Amino acid sequence: MKPFNPERRDFLKKSALSAGSALVLGITWSGEIVAEADATPEFKPNAWLKIDTHGLVTLYIAESEMGQGPFTSLSMLIAEELEVDWQKVQVEHAPLDPAYGFQGTGGSRSVRRNWKTLRQAGAVARQMLLAAGAEYLKAPVDSCQAQRSRITHRPSSKSVSYAELVGRAAEMPVPKGVTLKQPEDFKLIGTPITRLDLADKLNGKARYGIDTKLPNMVYATIAQSPVFGGRVKSFNDTEIKQRPGIIDCFALEEGVVVVAQGTWQAFQARKALKIDWQGGKTGQLNSDNIIQRLSDETAQKPTLILERGEPIAQLASALKSVDTEYRLPFQAHMTPEPMNCTVGVEDGRYRIWAPTQSPTSAMTTAVKTLKALMPELSEAELEARIEIVTPLLGGGFGRRIKQDYVTQAVKIAHHLKRPVQLIWPREEDVQHDHYHPLTQHRLRGSLDEAGNPQAWHHLITGLQSGKYGADALAYDIPHVRVELLRLDSPVPIGPWRSVSNHYNAYAIEHFFDELARAGGKNPLELRLKLLKEARLKAVLQRAAEATAWHQQDQQRILGCAVHSSFGSHVAEIVELIRLDEQKLKLGKITCVIDCGVAINPDTVKAQLEGSVIYALGAALKPPIMLKNGRVEQHNFHDTPILSFKETPPIEVIISRSRLDPGGVGEPGVPPLAPALANALLSAHGKPVTRMPMNLNGAS
Amino acid sequence: MDLMAVTLHVNGSANRVEAESDIPLLWVLRDQLGLTGTKYSCGIGVCGSCMVLLDGMPAKACRITAAECAGKKITTIEGLAEQADHPLLKSWLELQVPQCGYCQSGQIIMAYALLSEKHDPSADEIDQAMSQILCRCGTYPRIRQAIQQASEMMRAKEPS
């Protein structure tokens, strides 16, 4: 798919929102589609924005808003160059359209990949408004300036609003080669601004996928095999269909579907299902044996990720060495909004409300699903019959990159031939997540005579585990080998906030402290000595100052960790307070980030606070456990997330920078668990080889 | 199961609905009355996303039946938000508390109930009340600040 070029008049290809004005597709809160002929002209120079004759600026954001703030931060990029009055900006999810390229939100990429494009989109529009304004004011363009939604002729101070220029600007040629502002000239970027999606999140008006209501809509839910890959053999459909409010009950490849007049009736009927399952891929597997079993079954060998020097020879002849193994468990996403998808069906056309991190993947998935059901139609014909609508997402964290709920909802709608909303109960969500993988880390390291790390060997073994976060060791150690044994997984695995950086940074950063202690070194000072990246060193230095690192004692114990990921550099320091000889409690957590230019500093701060809390929950709370091939947990009572009272004070410090922006949604996650483990190592003298951690030493 | 007629007083208006005797209030609000600001997340009374006010007291809408609510005054986020200049909502906006926003109806309802009972809650009382509502995005530090700020604003208005 070709990327958007803001210097072309690149209108939407598919949506009725296309060129000029003519037709505006509105979706009311009740989900009805209202097509209204709109006679008033608009200025819509590209796929990202339009200005109407009231001066209202509508921005179309092609990244999914799931709380991480792209509605606001990406709007700021456009508005910075458009010189628009922020009070007149409103924002919507962009429709699915090739003009936006691949529409998928993940990898903390939203700002990075839109950084230039969106500023250019705003600058192009501003130049066209300037040309129109100069013409209107009968003045040379270079004596005019754009500011707060007006074009002003500087010498005379005469001005005209964007609203008045809408028709004229649309006639102007699209400029080539616009010049973007230098960072020192930014007016919006870098200022904490009120988020555009907040007002409706305080009054119940915000519409998430699960809030979609269509005329004559029915509610469906599903029961999937507790053992992964199991299939329905038989079930009590006759009994279920006799229940009040039940419209249908049938089996899909994925499980048994119940359709009812209301969500609750569907959920109750699901509980009454008696399903005989057969087969499945995981029946003999437990969290404790899965790595061993899968390693034994496969002939897979580790892949070499990184090697320098002679690590194996050095380790064999080492004077002093450390050998350890960490095992980190499966984790669930626990998005607050459970998986759901709503499909409107009319005359063979499908309109799909998918709270997804990737509308493009939702389309691909829907086409593939319908193709299997209607092989007589070509993929292009099917795509033309499908529209993807992206409502707000009640959390994502990587879970909504997967499209299983879209596949199921499309199948169900095709079966019923009527509008339907599929909602997974929480229990289904916990037992059929695409989990953060279980991983095991064997680490061996040796020290030279002076106690400095000399050799480093890290073998990562895990279910579809990844190398990122371990593929470029941040430390200047002479002999290094990093290997990855990525096992094929019968348990669904997916991206989870910070993906492989989470477990790899844990292994590296906790083992670094084990080595530093074995060599009699202060782990923070040793990091400052061996870190190769100046920006990472700088954030650690800053964190050390903010926490008075050198003023630790028996009552106040600190642990630090650093990690670079998604283009940003983060240091975190966890403080433990000793209550008595046995008991410790969490003190303050300090987090310093260098993310280049911080577009909306308040959002950066919020994302870092959220990342710390997310990672702290994973470190301290019971994880997902596999037993006899099934997930043992069911809901928030046995898969708890961190609560309000368990959250310690968190200080976030953002380094000032004019460098191009890095990601902010995920980089705060990886350093937290190792920083906490390092504080515990300091307190108890024992490494933390398993999660969840126990503050009082029995881990 | 037979349906029964229930009159629910929600946000100041009376709604007559036909409901099963055991259907939780949550689903009547969401599926029948279209009040989707009250959220489903766990369905077992653990997460607090479906918190509403019942005669002014916080109640989890997934754990009470619609029938039990007959004759009581129900306030959902949509009703509470009509007091847009309430110090709590102002603080919530000013401190930019929500991220994904999904749990925020529950958070705001709970904080409102807390501050209605006591304009000056202790840190421990805030802990006890707010730990009943889970937030996956991690907005807790800002919720604490917003409650403290609203509490100060409310006390500043009180006659001394």
Side-chain angles (χ1 to χ4, degrees):
Chain A
M1 218 170 267
K2 84 180 163 47
F4 168 70
N5 176 358
E7 292 175 6
R8 285 184 45 217
R9 212 180 276 267
D10 206 350
F11 294 120
L12 303 186
K13 302 286 187 297
K14 289 185 56 184
S15 159
L17 276 169
S18 67
S21 55
L23 190 68
V24 174
L25 254 196
I27 298 159
T28 65
W29 74 266
S30 61
E32 291 164 76
I33 308 301
V34 188
E36 50 188 56
D38 185 353
T40 56
E42 307 170 330
F43 174 46
K44 191 164 192 326
N46 52 49
W48 303 97
L49 66 104
K50 78 171 184 204
I51 305 178
D52 71 11
T53 50
H54 303 288
L56 187 68
V57 180
T58 307
L59 305 179
Y60 300 99
I61 299 303
E63 305 281 345
S64 296
E65 176 60 78
M66 47 191 164
Q68 85 287 28
F71 268 17
T72 306
S73 49
L74 299 188
S75 294
M76 288 169 80
L77 301 182
I78 302 173
E80 178 71 60
E81 291 287 345
L82 187 55
E83 298 290 356
V84 72
D85 181 354
W86 187 251
Q87 302 305 320
K88 292 181 180 156
V89 172
Q90 64 171 23
V91 63
E92 292 174 14
H93 269 139
L96 179 66
D97 194 281
Y100 303 102
F102 182 87
Q103 284 168 259
T105 305
S108 299
R109 274 192 304 267
S110 297
V111 163
R112 283 182 289 163
R113 71 166 169 195
N114 288 293
W115 171 234
K116 288 215 169 76
T117 315
L118 291 193
R119 286 183 299 145
Q120 281 171 349
V124 162
R126 181 200 63 224
Q127 287 306 107
M128 292 166 80
L129 286 159
L130 259 175
E135 193 183 275
Y136 180 92
L137 297 167
K138 300 188 174 56
V141 171
D142 54 12
S143 68
C144 294
Q145 72 175 35
Q147 206 175 6
R148 288 185 65 84
S149 290
R150 295 191 80 80
I151 303 296
T152 305
H153 177 232
R154 280 192 304 266
S156 67
S157 298
K158 280 186 191 155
S159 72
V160 56
S161 72
Y162 285 6
E164 294 167 272
L165 292 172
V166 158
R168 210 179 276 260
E171 304 294 313
M172 290 293 153
V174 180
K176 295 219 169 354
V178 288
T179 311
L180 299 180
K181 284 182 192 173
Q182 291 301 305
E184 53 269 29
D185 299 324
F186 290 153
K187 284 183 258 179
L188 267 182
I189 293 173
T191 62
I193 206 161
T194 302
R195 280 175 45 185
L196 294 168
D197 57 336
L198 284 200
D200 282 353
K201 289 180 175 177
L202 303 184
N203 61 19
K205 286 184 186 152
R207 297 288 160 211
Y208 301 85
I210 204 168
D211 302 327
T212 310
K213 304 280 178 198
L214 302 177
N216 304 316
M217 185 178 90
V218 291
Y219 297 83
T221 192
I222 190 164
Q224 300 170 83
S225 171
V227 173
F228 294 102
R231 293 285 173 254
V232 179
K233 190 175 167 194
S234 64
F235 62 107
N236 54 338
D237 56 338
T238 314
E239 183 191 334
I240 295 296
K241 283 177 185 168
Q242 282 164 3
R243 293 174 64 94
I246 297 303
I247 293 165
D248 206 345
C249 179
F250 55 94
L252 294 176
E253 187 189 351
E254 294 93 332
V256 176
V257 175
V258 183
V259 185
Q261 298 288 358
T263 315
W264 185 73
Q265 290 83 356
F267 281 4
Q268 291 299 98
R270 178 187 167 280
K271 283 187 200 160
L273 278 168
K274 294 186 190 81
I275 307 170
D276 202 0
W277 301 100
Q278 61 184 355
K281 303 175 285 188
T282 56
Q284 306 301 312
L285 299 174
N286 299 328
S287 279
D288 289 338
N289 69 12
I290 189 165
I291 291 242
Q292 194 59 51
R293 291 277 181 105
L294 295 176
S295 304
D296 291 348
E297 278 173 22
T298 168
Q300 284 174 271
K301 291 269 176 285
T303 310
L304 191 63
I305 302 297
L306 177 67
E307 182 152 68
R308 59 176 180 253
E310 297 173 320
I312 304 307
Q314 287 292 327
L315 282 164
S317 62
L319 292 173
K320 193 168 188 185
S321 62
V322 181
D323 189 336
T324 194
E325 190 175 87
Y326 306 145
R327 190 193 291 157
L328 308 180
F330 291 114
Q331 299 281 355
H333 294 83
M334 307 304 286
T335 62
E337 180 192 14
M339 296 305 108
N340 69 87
C341 182
T342 307
V343 183
V345 194
E346 209 176 314
D347 302 331
R349 303 181 73 82
Y350 295 78
R351 185 169 283 125
I352 302 171
W353 281 260
T356 174
Q357 287 178 237
S358 178
T360 302
S361 303
M363 174 62 89
T364 314
T365 301
V367 168
K368 194 178 151 200
T369 305
L370 288 175
K371 177 74 184 165
L373 297 165
M374 297 184 279
E376 67 280 10
L377 294 178
S378 74
E379 290 187 356
E381 283 169 320
L382 287 167
E383 190 170 332
R385 291 174 174 222
I386 301 168
E387 184 187 350
I388 305 288
V389 183
T390 316
L392 289 171
L393 283 63
F397 315 113
R399 174 61 180 90
R400 292 188 151 97
I401 286 172
K402 301 289 181 183
Q403 311 293 328
D404 39 353
Y405 44 93
V406 176
T407 306
Q408 294 168 3
V410 168
K411 285 183 184 176
I412 295 165
H414 180 80
H415 177 90
L416 296 173
K417 303 278 188 287
R418 65 183 292 181
V420 61
Q421 178 169 83
L422 168 68
I423 306 184
W424 289 18
R426 175 63 59 192
E427 289 76 11
E428 223 29 67
D429 187 71
V430 171
Q431 302 214 326
H432 293 278
D433 199 348
H434 294 257
Y435 304 92
H436 189 48
L438 187 142
T439 62
Q440 196 166 286
H441 303 261
R442 170 89 188 270
L443 290 131
R444 294 189 300 151
S446 67
L447 302 164
D448 65 16
E449 298 87 345
N452 290 310
Q454 186 174 37
W456 176 285
H457 182 196
H458 181 187
L459 169 61
I460 309 153
T461 306
L463 281 63
Q464 281 172 235
S465 48
K467 65 178 181 178
Y468 294 110
D471 53 342
L473 190 66
Y475 300 106
D476 188 11
I477 296 172
H479 305 279
V480 176
R481 176 181 281 191
V482 179
E483 293 174 283
L484 170 68
L485 180 52
R486 182 187 162 95
L487 299 165
D488 294 336
S489 177
V491 176
I493 301 296
W496 179 94
R497 199 171 191 174
S498 82
V499 204
S500 59
N501 288 281
H502 175 251
Y503 44 80
N504 288 333
Y506 183 80
I508 294 165
E509 286 297 287
H510 191 38
F511 188 61
F512 188 91
D513 268 44
E514 281 205 62
L515 266 186
R517 288 176 65 85
K521 306 283 187 194
N522 180 308
L524 187 135
E525 284 168 14
L526 189 63
R527 279 186 175 81
L528 291 175
K529 184 178 160 193
L530 297 180
L531 278 173
K532 293 181 280 189
E533 168 61 56
R535 293 170 75 184
L536 196 51
K537 211 185 277 193
V539 290
L540 180 59
Q541 189 76 54
R542 184 90 183 268
E545 287 158 15
T547 54
W549 174 266
H550 292 287
Q551 290 165 31
Q552 296 184 55
D553 54 32
Q554 286 303 304
Q555 265 56 55
R556 177 177 179 270
I557 302 147
L558 303 179
C560 71
V562 297
H563 192 65
S564 301
S565 59
F566 309 99
S568 292
H569 310 277
V570 180
E572 287 172 18
I573 293 183
V574 173
E575 179 186 60
L576 294 175
I577 307 290
R578 191 177 287 284
L579 298 175
D580 57 45
E581 222 154 275
Q582 309 295 324
K583 269 195 104 178
L584 295 163
K585 74 159 194 168
L586 276 172
K588 187 170 150 182
I589 294 176
T590 304
C591 175
V592 186
I593 184 168
D594 175 353
C595 58
V597 174
I599 311 300
N600 183 355
D602 192 64
T603 288
V604 176
K605 190 166 174 281
Q607 285 305 297
L608 272 289
E609 289 164 356
S611 295
V612 163
I613 290 166
Y614 190 93
L616 192 56
L620 294 176
K621 294 292 188 173
I624 290 294
M625 296 296 285
L626 192 71
K627 192 172 180 190
N628 298 329
R630 56 192 79 197
V631 166
E632 283 188 292
Q633 287 67 33
H634 305 84
N635 203 318
F636 281 102
H637 68 287
D638 55 11
T639 321
I641 61 172
L642 207 71
S643 73
F644 184 91
K645 66 181 171 196
E646 294 165 317
T647 300
I650 301 165
E651 183 182 8
V652 174
I653 299 169
I654 304 169
S655 295
R656 288 185 69 86
S657 171
R658 285 181 177 177
L659 297 172
D660 282 355
V664 299
E666 296 167 275
V669 171
L672 189 277
L676 175 57
N678 290 340
L680 290 169
L681 173 62
S682 182
H684 302 301
K686 285 186 300 189
V688 183
T689 60
R690 297 284 186 276
M691 280 190 199
M693 301 182 199
N694 181 339
L695 291 192
N696 300 314
S699 199
Chain B
M1 193 168 296
D2 290 339
L3 297 179
M4 53 192 276
V6 181
T7 301
L8 294 175
H9 295 268
V10 188
N11 302 330
S13 59
N15 301 267
R16 202 180 145 83
V17 298
E18 300 278 311
E20 293 89 340
S21 62
D22 57 348
I23 189 170
L25 175 65
L26 170 66
W27 298 111
V28 174
L29 291 174
R30 288 186 56 82
D31 292 352
Q32 293 190 46
L33 302 181
L35 292 168
T36 53
T38 304
K39 295 295 193 251
Y40 165 70
S41 188
C42 77
I44 56 167
V46 172
C47 78
S49 291
C50 64
M51 199 66 87
V52 296
L53 294 174
L54 205 59
D55 286 340
M57 298 297 287
K60 289 167 180 167
C62 74
R63 301 305 287 166
I64 38 165
T65 63
E68 288 173 273
C69 299
K72 296 189 178 171
K73 201 177 132 197
I74 302 161
T75 309
T76 69
I77 188 66
E78 289 90 346
L80 194 149
E82 284 167 19
Q83 310 171 49
D85 57 353
H86 190 282
L88 193 68
L89 292 175
K90 283 165 83 173
S91 300
W92 227 263
L93 188 63
E94 200 176 306
L95 291 161
Q96 307 216 42
V97 175
Q99 289 186 29
C100 89
Y102 195 80
C103 72
Q104 296 293 323
S105 308
Q107 304 282 5
I108 292 168
I109 294 269
M110 194 69 213
Y112 181 91
L114 172 71
L115 289 178
S116 301
E117 196 191 321
K118 202 168 185 185
H119 284 193
D120 187 15
S122 67
D124 196 45
E125 285 164 333
I126 297 176
D127 271 355
Q128 292 314 315
M130 299 316 296
S131 294
Q132 297 175 57
I133 323 287
L134 298 174
C135 172
R136 186 55 161 158
C137 297
T139 62
Y140 303 133
R142 288 168 190 239
I143 290 172
R144 186 183 295 282
Q145 282 177 284
I147 291 172
Q148 285 165 344
Q149 184 176 308
S151 161
E152 281 165 30
M153 288 162 73
M154 289 166 81
R155 279 178 289 141
K157 279 192 200 163
E158 282 170 11
S160 52

